[in-house]
Amino acid sequence: PVPGRCAYFVERKKRFCKMTPGPGRRFCGEHGQQEGENDRKRIPCPLDPKHTVYKDQLQKHLKKCNSREKPKPVYFVQDINAGLKDGAEIPERQVPISSLSKEGLENLITKLKKASNGLELRLKEQILSHQALQEALSDPKNGESAFKHLKQQASILGNMEKLHLLGPGRCFVEFGAGRGKLSHWVDVALQNVENVQFLLVERATTRFKVDGKHKRRDSIFERLQVDIQHLCLKKVPILEKKKLPVVGIGKHLCGAATDLALRCLVESYTACCDGENEEPATKRSTTDKIEVASNNSADYECNKDDSKPVAGIVIALCCHHKCDWTHYVGREFFKSAGLGPLEFHYFQRMSSWATCGMRETTTRASTSQESEDETNDTEEHEQTFSKTERGSDTLQGILTVEERKEIGCLCKRLIDHGRIEYLQQRGYKAALQYYTESAVSLENVLLTAVPSPSLIPEPTM
């Protein structure tokens, strides 16, 4: 054993324990009892039985145990952006697509095409770039995968600039921020602009964050480790203090996370900032009113004078097969088309055919050839389905590969149109466009929204 360390050999790990024993002892507290060196009784921690604690010090340990429930941040409001509060509308039995009869599948496709009839399904290409990324795009050290990510980020910034969202007096909220690369490039683009702040929303802890690269005193970066479902932007301290207009951004925001982010911006934040007595641009349905009321919990008080609404939304969409009827913002659109949660369940599953239906396997580049910029991003999103899932949805003999691809794209557009209509009903000018080539990313659709001219806030200097 290493001098000054526990002398107990951990057979499972094939090494000696690395804990430091007390003065004059050979073993740490946990192993000393096993070796008869310590007669004080140790018991499994009730918060996490993977470790033990002296019984006579249990109460003291519970107050500092790393497994104890941490205090919730001030901006945590349970299920404020969740949507439906119960599963009453969710069908109990959902048969896998592979188990559907030919007639059942044909009936679903007929409903899909009928609901899509009259919708704008041909999206325009708006593949742009931005000067902030030109140096990185021309750097030969970046591999092919890094180059693809940079092209997407450049186009997102280009679309933001076209919508006049890159400017002073803004708070950029990046949902599903991960390492924070998108916010990083927005900050680079605004290097000579004052009064800018960034909120990076990510529920998981993240390695290799780029936050430390931002040394400018004029821009403020803050991470919010919280699920979007429970995020109340109104209660974030820096938003309360500076009251800047918010720009919601995201690169490949998976499935339901997009709906949660839209509701976070458009309902729990914007509706609060606009005040309770102000009528929205378009009359809401009764269901919407009930839903908003249920989201506003008792401790969530609003003052229409102390905040400004959302200045814009720019989100690269992704993983429609991870959408959830409970959180989906376009439920009213689906219902108006004679569709319900059961059809939504099948359509969101079938949406995967747009990216997975035309290939039997997907090949990922060797991790040794990737820089850290490419990890946990587009390729991972495009390969969510396992081989088993792809095989179960193949439906050989019923649909051709091209038919599956076409139906998958139709499902995506229908789900996205529900989101567009949701935003339009709340006074936003919303649109979908291809922001990059399919060769760069199969998930290449960008959702943008800005308030109607009468609702656009003046930048705060």
Side-chain angles (χ1 to χ4, degrees):
V2 178
R5 301 286 179 150
C6 178
Y8 185 86
F9 186 79
V10 185
E11 185 64 34
R12 180 174 60 87
K13 297 183 178 181
K14 304 299 181 185
R15 63 166 174 77
F16 286 95
C17 173
K18 295 182 178 181
M19 297 296 290
T20 303
R25 296 184 180 274
R26 295 184 60 234
F27 302 99
C28 67
E30 185 157 353
H31 297 129
Q33 185 170 318
Q34 298 180 34
E35 296 297 314
E37 185 182 59
N38 192 345
D39 56 0
R40 293 173 66 191
K41 186 177 181 181
R42 294 185 70 89
I43 59 174
C45 173
L47 300 178
D48 181 7
K50 291 181 180 178
H51 65 272
T52 62
V53 59
Y54 286 120
K55 186 176 181 179
D56 56 6
Q57 291 187 340
L58 177 60
Q59 295 306 315
K60 181 179 178 181
H61 171 80
L62 292 177
K63 294 178 182 179
K64 62 180 182 179
C65 179
N66 289 332
S67 298
R68 72 190 186 282
E69 185 176 358
K70 308 295 190 301
K72 302 294 185 186
V74 292
Y75 47 78
F76 181 98
V77 178
Q78 185 73 37
D79 292 331
I80 188 170
N81 306 312
L84 287 174
K85 291 297 187 296
D86 57 56
E89 292 188 26
I90 308 300
E92 293 182 4
R93 187 170 177 268
Q94 297 172 340
V95 179
I97 295 177
S98 57
S99 300
L100 289 173
S101 64
K102 183 178 180 180
E103 292 74 22
L105 181 62
E106 289 175 346
N107 184 43
L108 273 175
I109 295 173
T110 300
K111 287 184 177 182
L112 173 65
K113 292 181 176 179
K114 182 180 178 181
S116 304
N117 188 32
L119 301 182
E120 183 55 58
L121 301 175
R122 297 181 65 87
L123 307 184
K124 67 176 181 178
E125 281 194 358
Q126 196 149 287
I127 302 172
L128 306 176
S129 190
H130 196 278
Q131 186 62 36
L133 289 94
Q134 291 310 304
E135 183 178 347
L137 283 167
S138 58
D139 188 348
K141 294 181 180 179
N142 287 317
E144 181 184 355
S145 187
F147 181 70
K148 289 181 178 181
H149 289 290
L150 290 168
K151 286 193 71 174
Q152 293 174 69
Q153 290 154 348
S155 185
I156 291 174
L157 262 66
N159 277 276
M160 291 175 68
E161 187 171 56
K162 187 179 178 69
L163 294 170
H164 308 290
L165 296 177
L166 292 178
R170 302 282 191 226
C171 176
F172 295 90
V173 182
E174 184 179 357
F175 294 95
R179 296 177 55 214
K181 290 292 287 185
L182 184 56
S183 291
H184 164 74
W185 289 117
V186 172
D187 186 52
V188 172
L190 298 174
Q191 56 184 333
N192 297 318
V193 175
E194 297 180 351
N195 198 15
V196 177
Q197 59 192 32
F198 294 87
L199 294 176
L200 280 63
V201 183
E202 179 59 62
R203 66 182 179 182
T205 54
T206 307
R207 299 177 65 195
F208 307 117
K209 296 186 287 289
V210 297
D211 308 27
K213 295 183 179 180
H214 310 286
K215 303 298 183 183
R216 289 198 302 117
R217 296 177 60 186
D218 295 335
S219 62
I220 301 172
F221 274 75
E222 181 176 335
R223 278 195 172 260
L224 308 180
Q225 189 174 340
V226 62
D227 193 308
I228 305 171
Q229 182 170 330
H230 313 300
L231 172 61
C232 174
L233 282 177
K234 182 69 168 62
K235 291 179 174 285
V236 177
I238 61 173
L239 274 179
E240 284 186 316
K241 182 180 180 180
K242 283 203 171 184
K243 304 178 178 63
L244 298 180
V246 164
V247 178
I249 61 176
K251 178 175 178 283
H252 292 136
L253 195 56
C254 273
T258 293
D259 299 297
L260 294 172
L262 292 179
R263 192 175 282 108
C264 175
L265 294 164
V266 175
E267 289 189 28
S268 68
Y269 184 68
T270 300
C272 171
C273 297
D274 287 343
E276 295 180 358
N277 298 323
E278 187 173 331
E279 289 293 326
T282 304
K283 188 176 181 180
R284 295 183 179 181
S285 66
T286 303
T287 305
D288 288 332
K289 291 177 182 177
I290 294 172
E291 199 169 294
V292 174
S294 64
N295 278 339
N296 292 328
S297 53
D299 64 341
Y300 180 55
E301 299 178 356
C302 305
N303 186 329
K304 65 181 179 181
D305 297 323
D306 64 5
S307 283
K308 292 186 178 181
V310 174
I313 301 170
V314 180
I315 295 175
L317 303 174
C318 181
C319 298
H320 293 71
H321 61 274
K322 287 189 174 182
C323 290
D324 188 298
W325 178 259
T326 302
H327 304 311
Y328 181 50
V329 296
R331 290 195 302 271
E332 290 305 312
F333 163 71
F334 258 64
K335 291 176 182 177
S336 68
L339 304 173
L342 185 62
E343 288 81 9
F344 180 84
H345 164 75
Y346 286 122
F347 292 165
Q348 55 104 348
R349 296 300 300 172
M350 291 157 63
S351 70
S352 66
W353 295 350
T355 53
C356 299
M358 65 284 206
R359 59 188 181 216
E360 289 301 318
T361 58
T362 52
T363 304
R364 184 185 176 106
S366 171
T367 54
S368 63
Q369 297 175 341
E370 295 179 350
S371 71
E372 30 179 68
D373 289 343
E374 293 99 54
T375 59
N376 194 28
D377 213 321
T378 309
E379 292 83 359
E380 184 173 306
H381 290 265
E382 291 174 356
Q383 300 182 64
T384 306
F385 277 78
S386 67
K387 184 176 180 181
T388 303
E389 288 176 303
R390 286 197 303 271
S392 66
D393 284 352
T394 297
L395 299 166
Q396 293 181 357
I398 300 178
L399 298 170
T400 65
V401 168
E402 284 305 316
E403 285 173 334
R404 290 199 301 274
K405 182 180 177 181
E406 181 183 349
I407 290 168
C409 289
L410 207 56
C411 290
K412 281 177 172 282
R413 296 294 77 79
L414 189 68
I415 292 171
D416 288 340
H417 187 83
R419 291 163 168 168
I420 293 296
E421 189 166 292
Y422 167 83
L423 291 167
Q424 289 173 343
Q425 288 177 350
R426 284 153 179 81
Y428 284 80
K429 182 181 178 182
L432 298 168
Q433 53 264 315
Y434 292 118
Y435 77 103
T436 191
E437 301 91 348
S438 58
V440 173
S441 174
L442 293 174
E443 298 282 15
N444 61 342
V445 175
L446 188 71
L447 182 152
T448 61
V450 292
S452 62
S454 61
L455 298 178
I456 296 178
E458 292 294 329
T460 303
M461 299 301 291

